[in-house]
Amino acid sequence: MDGDVGRAMEAFLLGQEPSLTRVQVAERAGVPLDVAVTLWHQLGFPHHDDDDVAFAESDVEALRLSADLVEIGILPPESQAALVRTWGRSYARLAEWQTTLLAGLAVEGGDPAAALADLATEVLPRVEELQSYVWRRHLASAAQHLLADTSSLTQAETQLSVCFVDIVGYTTQSRSLDGAELVAWVDRFEQDTTTLVVDHAGHVIKTIGDEVLFTVADPAAAVTIALALTARGEDPDDPFPAVRAGIAHGAVVRRLGDVFGSTVNAASRLTSAARPGTVLVDAGVREALTAEEDDESAREEDWRWRRVRRVSAKGFHHLEAWRVRT
Protein backbone atom coordinates (compact mmCIF):
# COMPACT_ATOMS: atom_id res chain seq x y z
CA MET A 1 0.00 0.00 0.00
CA ASP A 2 2.80 2.42 0.95
CA GLY A 3 4.50 1.65 -2.37
CA ASP A 4 1.31 2.53 -4.24
CA VAL A 5 1.05 5.83 -2.36
CA GLY A 6 4.71 6.57 -3.07
CA ARG A 7 4.23 5.99 -6.79
CA ALA A 8 1.09 8.12 -6.76
CA MET A 9 3.00 10.90 -5.00
CA GLU A 10 5.80 10.70 -7.56
CA ALA A 11 3.33 10.89 -10.44
CA PHE A 12 1.60 13.87 -8.83
CA LEU A 13 4.87 15.75 -8.28
CA LEU A 14 6.30 14.98 -11.72
CA GLY A 15 3.05 15.65 -13.55
CA GLN A 16 2.61 12.05 -14.69
CA GLU A 17 3.79 8.54 -13.91
CA PRO A 18 7.38 7.95 -15.06
CA SER A 19 7.44 6.32 -18.47
CA LEU A 20 10.82 7.25 -19.95
CA THR A 21 14.44 6.19 -19.55
CA ARG A 22 17.26 8.69 -19.32
CA VAL A 23 18.28 7.78 -22.87
CA GLN A 24 14.81 8.67 -24.15
CA VAL A 25 14.77 11.92 -22.18
CA ALA A 26 18.09 13.03 -23.65
CA GLU A 27 16.98 12.11 -27.19
CA ARG A 28 13.68 14.00 -26.92
CA ALA A 29 15.40 17.06 -25.45
CA GLY A 30 18.07 17.02 -28.14
CA VAL A 31 20.85 16.93 -25.54
CA PRO A 32 23.77 14.48 -25.53
CA LEU A 33 23.29 11.78 -22.91
CA ASP A 34 26.61 12.48 -21.19
CA VAL A 35 25.65 16.16 -20.81
CA ALA A 36 22.27 15.21 -19.35
CA VAL A 37 23.81 12.73 -16.91
CA THR A 38 26.37 15.31 -15.78
CA LEU A 39 23.60 17.83 -15.20
CA TRP A 40 21.55 15.37 -13.12
CA HIS A 41 24.63 14.49 -11.08
CA GLN A 42 25.30 18.16 -10.39
CA LEU A 43 21.70 18.61 -9.28
CA GLY A 44 22.13 15.71 -6.85
CA PHE A 45 19.49 13.46 -8.42
CA PRO A 46 19.68 9.69 -7.78
CA HIS A 47 21.63 7.58 -10.27
CA HIS A 48 19.68 5.56 -12.84
CA ASP A 49 20.84 3.05 -15.44
CA ASP A 50 19.99 3.44 -19.11
CA ASP A 51 17.12 0.93 -18.87
CA ASP A 52 15.49 2.38 -15.73
CA VAL A 53 12.04 3.85 -16.40
CA ALA A 54 12.32 6.73 -13.95
CA PHE A 55 11.62 9.91 -15.93
CA ALA A 56 8.60 11.84 -17.21
CA GLU A 57 7.86 14.48 -19.84
CA SER A 58 8.61 17.16 -17.24
CA ASP A 59 12.23 15.93 -17.23
CA VAL A 60 12.38 16.39 -21.00
CA GLU A 61 11.14 19.98 -20.75
CA ALA A 62 13.56 20.75 -17.90
CA LEU A 63 16.48 19.42 -19.93
CA ARG A 64 15.40 21.54 -22.91
CA LEU A 65 15.22 24.64 -20.72
CA SER A 66 18.70 23.92 -19.35
CA ALA A 67 20.04 23.62 -22.89
CA ASP A 68 18.37 26.94 -23.76
CA LEU A 69 20.05 28.68 -20.83
CA VAL A 70 23.42 27.33 -21.92
CA GLU A 71 22.80 28.46 -25.50
CA ILE A 72 21.91 32.04 -24.55
CA GLY A 73 24.87 32.29 -22.18
CA ILE A 74 23.10 32.27 -18.80
CA LEU A 75 24.85 29.01 -17.93
CA PRO A 76 28.36 29.46 -19.39
CA PRO A 77 30.63 26.38 -19.13
CA GLU A 78 32.95 27.97 -16.54
CA SER A 79 30.12 28.57 -14.05
CA GLN A 80 27.52 25.97 -15.03
CA ALA A 81 28.64 23.27 -12.62
CA ALA A 82 28.84 25.57 -9.60
CA LEU A 83 25.48 27.20 -10.29
CA VAL A 84 23.69 23.91 -10.88
CA ARG A 85 25.22 22.40 -7.74
CA THR A 86 24.00 25.40 -5.77
CA TRP A 87 20.49 24.93 -7.14
CA GLY A 88 20.57 21.24 -6.33
CA ARG A 89 21.80 21.65 -2.76
CA SER A 90 19.38 24.47 -1.99
CA TYR A 91 16.31 22.68 -3.30
CA ALA A 92 17.35 19.35 -1.80
CA ARG A 93 17.49 20.92 1.68
CA LEU A 94 14.20 22.70 1.13
CA ALA A 95 12.50 19.53 -0.14
CA GLU A 96 13.77 17.48 2.79
CA TRP A 97 12.45 20.02 5.29
CA GLN A 98 9.08 20.30 3.56
CA THR A 99 8.68 16.52 3.33
CA THR A 100 9.56 16.13 6.99
CA LEU A 101 7.01 18.79 7.88
CA LEU A 102 4.25 17.13 5.86
CA ALA A 103 5.15 13.68 7.19
CA GLY A 104 4.96 14.98 10.76
CA LEU A 105 1.44 16.22 10.13
CA ALA A 106 0.46 13.02 8.34
CA VAL A 107 1.39 10.68 11.21
CA GLU A 108 -1.15 12.41 13.42
CA GLY A 109 -3.92 10.68 11.45
CA GLY A 110 -4.88 7.04 11.28
CA ASP A 111 -3.46 6.44 7.81
CA PRO A 112 -0.17 8.34 7.42
CA ALA A 113 0.41 7.33 3.79
CA ALA A 114 -3.01 8.46 2.62
CA ALA A 115 -2.84 11.58 4.76
CA LEU A 116 0.53 12.50 3.24
CA ALA A 117 -0.89 12.16 -0.26
CA ASP A 118 -3.88 14.33 0.66
CA LEU A 119 -1.64 16.97 2.24
CA ALA A 120 0.61 17.05 -0.81
CA THR A 121 -2.36 17.60 -3.08
CA GLU A 122 -3.68 20.46 -0.95
CA VAL A 123 -0.47 22.06 0.26
CA LEU A 124 2.23 21.73 -2.40
CA PRO A 125 0.57 23.83 -5.14
CA ARG A 126 0.27 26.67 -2.63
CA VAL A 127 3.85 26.20 -1.47
CA GLU A 128 5.06 26.23 -5.08
CA GLU A 129 3.27 29.50 -5.77
CA LEU A 130 4.61 31.04 -2.56
CA GLN A 131 8.16 29.94 -3.39
CA SER A 132 7.89 31.67 -6.76
CA TYR A 133 6.74 34.86 -5.02
CA VAL A 134 9.61 34.77 -2.50
CA TRP A 135 12.11 34.14 -5.30
CA ARG A 136 10.84 37.10 -7.33
CA ARG A 137 10.88 39.34 -4.26
CA HIS A 138 14.51 38.44 -3.61
CA LEU A 139 15.32 39.03 -7.29
CA ALA A 140 13.82 42.50 -7.04
CA SER A 141 15.81 43.26 -3.88
CA ALA A 142 19.05 41.91 -5.36
CA ALA A 143 18.54 43.96 -8.52
CA GLN A 144 18.11 47.14 -6.48
CA HIS A 145 21.33 46.48 -4.56
CA LEU A 146 23.31 45.73 -7.72
CA LEU A 147 22.00 48.71 -9.66
CA ALA A 148 22.72 51.01 -6.71
CA ASP A 149 26.39 50.02 -7.05
CA THR A 150 26.98 49.40 -10.76
CA SER A 151 30.70 48.89 -10.16
CA SER A 152 29.88 45.54 -8.58
CA LEU A 153 28.61 44.36 -11.98
CA THR A 154 31.99 44.77 -13.62
CA GLN A 155 34.46 44.27 -10.77
CA ALA A 156 35.43 40.92 -9.31
CA GLU A 157 35.66 42.41 -5.81
CA THR A 158 33.54 44.77 -3.77
CA GLN A 159 34.10 46.52 -0.45
CA LEU A 160 31.98 45.03 2.34
CA SER A 161 31.96 44.48 6.07
CA VAL A 162 31.85 40.79 6.89
CA CYS A 163 30.67 39.57 10.29
CA PHE A 164 30.42 36.17 11.94
CA VAL A 165 28.19 35.82 15.02
CA ASP A 166 28.88 32.65 16.98
CA ILE A 167 26.91 31.09 19.85
CA VAL A 168 29.05 30.66 22.95
CA GLY A 169 28.92 27.24 24.59
CA TYR A 170 26.83 25.69 21.85
CA THR A 171 28.14 22.15 22.37
CA THR A 172 27.49 22.21 26.12
CA GLN A 173 24.04 23.74 25.72
CA SER A 174 23.04 21.31 22.98
CA ARG A 175 23.69 18.37 25.31
CA SER A 176 21.23 19.70 27.86
CA LEU A 177 18.36 20.16 25.39
CA ASP A 178 16.21 17.60 23.66
CA GLY A 179 15.78 17.73 19.90
CA ALA A 180 12.74 20.00 19.84
CA GLU A 181 14.24 22.40 22.39
CA LEU A 182 17.53 22.59 20.49
CA VAL A 183 15.73 23.35 17.22
CA ALA A 184 13.65 26.08 18.89
CA TRP A 185 16.76 27.59 20.51
CA VAL A 186 18.74 27.71 17.24
CA ASP A 187 15.68 28.96 15.33
CA ARG A 188 15.32 31.88 17.74
CA PHE A 189 18.98 32.76 17.30
CA GLU A 190 18.77 32.63 13.50
CA GLN A 191 15.47 34.49 13.29
CA ASP A 192 16.39 37.33 15.65
CA THR A 193 19.81 37.74 14.05
CA THR A 194 18.37 37.76 10.53
CA THR A 195 15.73 40.34 11.49
CA LEU A 196 18.33 42.70 12.90
CA VAL A 197 20.66 42.27 9.92
CA VAL A 198 17.90 42.95 7.40
CA ASP A 199 16.71 45.98 9.36
CA HIS A 200 20.20 47.46 8.95
CA ALA A 201 20.35 46.83 5.18
CA GLY A 202 22.55 43.77 5.63
CA HIS A 203 22.40 40.36 3.98
CA VAL A 204 22.61 37.00 5.72
CA ILE A 205 24.92 34.84 3.62
CA LYS A 206 24.40 31.58 5.49
CA THR A 207 23.73 29.99 8.83
CA ILE A 208 25.94 27.15 9.99
CA GLY A 209 24.26 25.64 13.03
CA ASP A 210 25.61 27.81 15.82
CA GLU A 211 26.94 30.58 13.57
CA VAL A 212 25.57 33.26 11.25
CA LEU A 213 27.60 34.94 8.52
CA PHE A 214 26.32 38.26 7.22
CA THR A 215 27.59 41.18 5.15
CA VAL A 216 26.70 44.85 5.05
CA ALA A 217 28.15 47.74 3.06
CA ASP A 218 28.39 50.10 6.05
CA PRO A 219 30.90 49.05 8.75
CA ALA A 220 29.02 51.18 11.30
CA ALA A 221 25.92 49.07 10.69
CA ALA A 222 27.94 45.87 11.13
CA VAL A 223 29.25 47.05 14.50
CA THR A 224 25.80 48.19 15.60
CA ILE A 225 24.32 44.78 14.77
CA ALA A 226 27.10 42.85 16.49
CA LEU A 227 26.96 44.98 19.66
CA ALA A 228 23.18 44.66 19.84
CA LEU A 229 23.39 40.87 19.59
CA THR A 230 26.14 40.52 22.18
CA ALA A 231 24.20 42.81 24.53
CA ARG A 232 21.14 40.61 24.21
CA GLY A 233 23.24 37.53 24.90
CA GLU A 234 24.58 39.11 28.10
CA ASP A 235 21.08 39.93 29.37
CA PRO A 236 20.01 37.18 31.81
CA ASP A 237 16.33 37.97 31.18
CA ASP A 238 16.66 37.60 27.39
CA PRO A 239 16.37 34.05 25.98
CA PHE A 240 18.73 35.00 23.16
CA PRO A 241 21.93 32.93 23.53
CA ALA A 242 25.30 34.35 24.55
CA VAL A 243 27.32 35.17 21.44
CA ARG A 244 30.61 36.63 20.26
CA ALA A 245 31.38 38.34 16.97
CA GLY A 246 34.19 39.25 14.62
CA ILE A 247 34.05 41.87 11.87
CA ALA A 248 36.44 42.67 9.03
CA HIS A 249 36.06 45.30 6.31
CA GLY A 250 37.68 45.14 2.90
CA ALA A 251 37.63 43.52 -0.51
CA VAL A 252 35.22 40.60 -0.87
CA VAL A 253 34.51 38.31 -3.79
CA ARG A 254 30.81 37.47 -4.19
CA ARG A 255 29.86 34.27 -5.99
CA LEU A 256 26.59 32.31 -6.12
CA GLY A 257 25.26 33.87 -2.95
CA ASP A 258 28.44 33.26 -0.96
CA VAL A 259 31.46 35.43 -0.15
CA PHE A 260 35.17 34.66 -0.32
CA GLY A 261 38.52 36.28 0.27
CA SER A 262 40.91 37.33 3.01
CA THR A 263 38.34 39.69 4.53
CA VAL A 264 36.03 36.73 5.18
CA ASN A 265 38.91 34.72 6.62
CA ALA A 266 39.88 37.60 8.90
CA ALA A 267 36.32 37.95 10.23
CA SER A 268 36.17 34.21 10.94
CA ARG A 269 39.50 34.26 12.80
CA LEU A 270 38.49 37.33 14.84
CA THR A 271 35.31 35.57 15.89
CA SER A 272 37.26 32.55 17.10
CA ALA A 273 39.57 34.83 19.08
CA ALA A 274 36.78 36.93 20.63
CA ARG A 275 35.78 36.32 24.22
CA PRO A 276 32.13 35.60 25.08
CA GLY A 277 29.99 38.71 24.80
CA THR A 278 32.61 40.73 22.90
CA VAL A 279 33.06 42.09 19.39
CA LEU A 280 36.49 42.15 17.72
CA VAL A 281 37.13 44.17 14.56
CA ASP A 282 40.06 44.45 12.20
CA ALA A 283 42.00 47.52 11.12
CA GLY A 284 39.72 47.99 8.12
CA VAL A 285 36.67 48.50 10.32
CA ARG A 286 38.43 50.77 12.79
CA GLU A 287 39.98 52.92 10.09
CA ALA A 288 36.66 53.29 8.30
CA LEU A 289 34.92 54.42 11.48
CA THR A 290 37.63 56.70 12.83
CA ALA A 291 38.89 58.19 9.56
CA GLU A 292 37.25 61.54 10.26
CA GLU A 293 37.27 62.50 13.91
CA ASP A 294 34.72 65.23 13.35
CA ASP A 295 32.21 62.94 11.64
CA GLU A 296 28.84 63.52 13.30
CA SER A 297 27.63 59.92 13.05
CA ALA A 298 30.84 58.63 14.61
CA ARG A 299 30.41 60.97 17.60
CA GLU A 300 26.80 59.91 18.03
CA GLU A 301 27.76 56.23 18.27
CA ASP A 302 30.33 56.99 21.02
CA TRP A 303 32.14 53.70 20.56
CA ARG A 304 35.20 52.87 22.62
CA TRP A 305 38.15 51.01 21.18
CA ARG A 306 40.76 48.87 22.89
CA ARG A 307 43.70 47.38 21.05
CA VAL A 308 44.14 43.69 21.71
CA ARG A 309 47.10 41.46 21.01
CA ARG A 310 47.60 40.52 17.43
CA VAL A 311 45.58 37.50 16.46
CA SER A 312 47.37 34.52 15.01
CA ALA A 313 45.78 33.56 11.72
CA LYS A 314 46.93 31.35 8.87
CA GLY A 315 47.58 33.38 5.75
CA PHE A 316 48.11 36.67 7.62
CA HIS A 317 51.49 38.15 8.54
CA HIS A 318 49.72 39.67 11.50
CA LEU A 319 46.06 40.41 12.12
CA GLU A 320 45.52 43.58 14.11
CA ALA A 321 42.40 43.58 16.25
CA TRP A 322 40.40 45.96 18.40
CA ARG A 323 37.65 45.29 20.84
CA VAL A 324 34.77 47.71 20.32
CA ARG A 325 32.10 48.56 22.88
CA THR A 326 29.63 51.31 23.62
Side-chain angles (χ1 to χ4, degrees), residues 156-218:
E157 296 181 331
T158 186
Q159 295 289 313
L160 288 174
S161 288
V162 179
C163 179
F164 285 88
V165 181
D166 179 56
I167 295 179
V168 176
Y170 174 80
T171 301
T172 300
Q173 184 70 9
S174 64
R175 291 172 180 167
S176 65
L177 302 174
D178 62 30
E181 291 172 335
L182 179 59
V183 168
W185 187 59
V186 173
D187 278 350
R188 181 186 299 116
F189 163 66
E190 293 183 356
Q191 178 60 51
D192 290 0
T193 301
T194 299
T195 298
L196 190 60
V197 170
V198 172
D199 284 346
H200 286 80
H203 179 61
V204 173
I205 301 300
K206 55 188 170 184
T207 58
I208 316 168
D210 61 337
E211 189 172 60
V212 171
L213 165 61
F214 72 85
T215 62
V216 61
D218 181 8

Side-chain angles (χ1 to χ4, degrees), residues 220-241:
V223 172
T224 298
I225 294 167
L227 288 174
L229 294 174
T230 53
R232 287 193 58 183
E234 293 292 289
D235 184 351
D237 297 323
D238 192 328
F240 191 81

